[in-house]
Amino acid sequence: HTGWIVFWIPLFLFIYFFSYIPEVSQGNLNIFKFSWITSLNINLDLYLDGLSLLFALIITGIGTLVVFYSIYYMSKETEELGNFYVYLLLFMGAMLGLVLSDNIFVLYVYWELTSISSFLLIAYWYQRKNSRYGALKSMLITIAGGLSMLAGFIILSLITDVYSIRSMLDQVDIIASHHLFIPAMLLILMGAFTKSAQFPFSIW
């Protein structure tokens, strides 16, 4: 079964992140910097602290269990397992990038990747009309919400003149006192509400 090959990927990642617990619990922060669009000061900066480590462990831990369960749930004779596991790993990778990103625009890219991979997973049984309809509805709602979130991120970057989440946290007082703070937060919350299917976006 293809799942036995895929199973080791999230398990290895879970063990890898688990090894950081002693270091992070002592208050040490791990920052990994990778150049990307240097002309716009947009880099693939990853930031591992207690909160991001917690979510990374949840993503990889539950991901390991999902793959294990799928081995006994998905038939290797009747299902296109290759497609399923590609979509699943894409979804897990996008979520990891989301919780580890320090740059708000890189975070947005991962945010929309979760929408695309969710669309692919929901539409996995594309022969079924309901699957296609549900996938399309989810993608339209979550991508629209993502664009709203992007607008909020742009406003925050204009207020602070930085793209780093950690740097923005150092300017909380400036952000909170700015007249565009409320619109920015409402736009960002719109993205969060659509992604998590909160009312009134729970229809997908």
Side-chain angles (χ1 to χ4, degrees):
H1 197 287
T2 309
W4 286 119
I5 301 173
V6 178
F7 173 77
W8 299 102
I9 299 175
L11 180 60
F12 171 79
L13 289 172
F14 178 83
I15 295 171
Y16 173 76
F17 285 114
F18 192 86
S19 67
Y20 276 96
I21 290 180
E23 186 176 349
V24 173
S25 63
Q26 295 175 1
N28 297 324
L29 306 177
N30 294 274
I31 303 171
F32 308 90
K33 294 182 175 290
F34 306 95
S35 297
W36 190 27
I37 310 176
T38 53
S39 59
L40 297 177
N41 196 29
I42 298 178
N43 299 313
L44 297 172
D45 295 340
L46 305 178
Y47 179 71
L48 189 65
D49 61 357
L51 185 61
S52 58
L53 177 60
L54 172 63
F55 279 105
L57 288 171
I58 291 173
I59 292 166
T60 54
I62 294 179
T64 302
L65 295 176
V66 168
V67 174
F68 181 74
Y69 179 81
S70 71
I71 294 172
Y72 298 96
Y73 182 78
M74 308 288 289
S75 170
K76 64 180 180 180
E77 283 80 20
T78 60
E79 305 290 354
E80 297 181 12
L81 296 178
N83 291 349
F84 173 76
Y85 287 117
V86 168
Y87 303 157
L88 184 60
L89 290 176
L90 176 63
F91 184 65
M92 289 174 53
M95 286 195 295
L96 281 175
L98 183 64
V99 301
L100 296 174
S101 293
D102 182 50
N103 187 292
I104 56 172
F105 295 116
V106 175
L107 184 151
Y108 167 74
V109 171
Y110 284 118
W111 185 270
E112 294 296 27
L113 275 176
T114 62
S115 296
I116 295 171
S117 53
S118 294
F119 165 80
L120 293 171
L121 284 169
I122 296 171
Y124 173 68
W125 282 303
Y126 57 87
Q127 304 90 343
R128 304 176 184 177
K129 182 179 179 180
N130 287 341
S131 294
R132 298 195 303 271
Y133 173 72
L136 181 61
K137 184 165 59 173
S138 72
M139 186 173 70
L140 291 175
I141 293 174
T142 56
I143 286 184
L147 291 173
S148 171
M149 176 173 280
L150 176 61
F153 285 164
I154 292 173
I155 293 174
L156 285 181
S157 68
L158 293 174
I159 295 173
T160 59
D161 199 31
V162 295
Y163 302 148
S164 167
I165 296 173
R166 290 181 300 113
S167 298
M168 286 182 177
L169 291 175
D170 294 333
Q171 302 185 46
V172 170
D173 294 337
I174 296 174
I175 296 173
S177 60
H178 200 278
H179 67 280
L180 291 176
F181 168 68
I182 298 298
M185 290 301 101
L186 289 176
L187 289 167
I188 293 172
L189 283 174
M190 180 76 73
F193 270 54
T194 56
K195 180 72 73 176
S196 55
Q198 300 297 315
F199 181 83
F201 307 105
S202 53
I203 58 173
W204 74 265

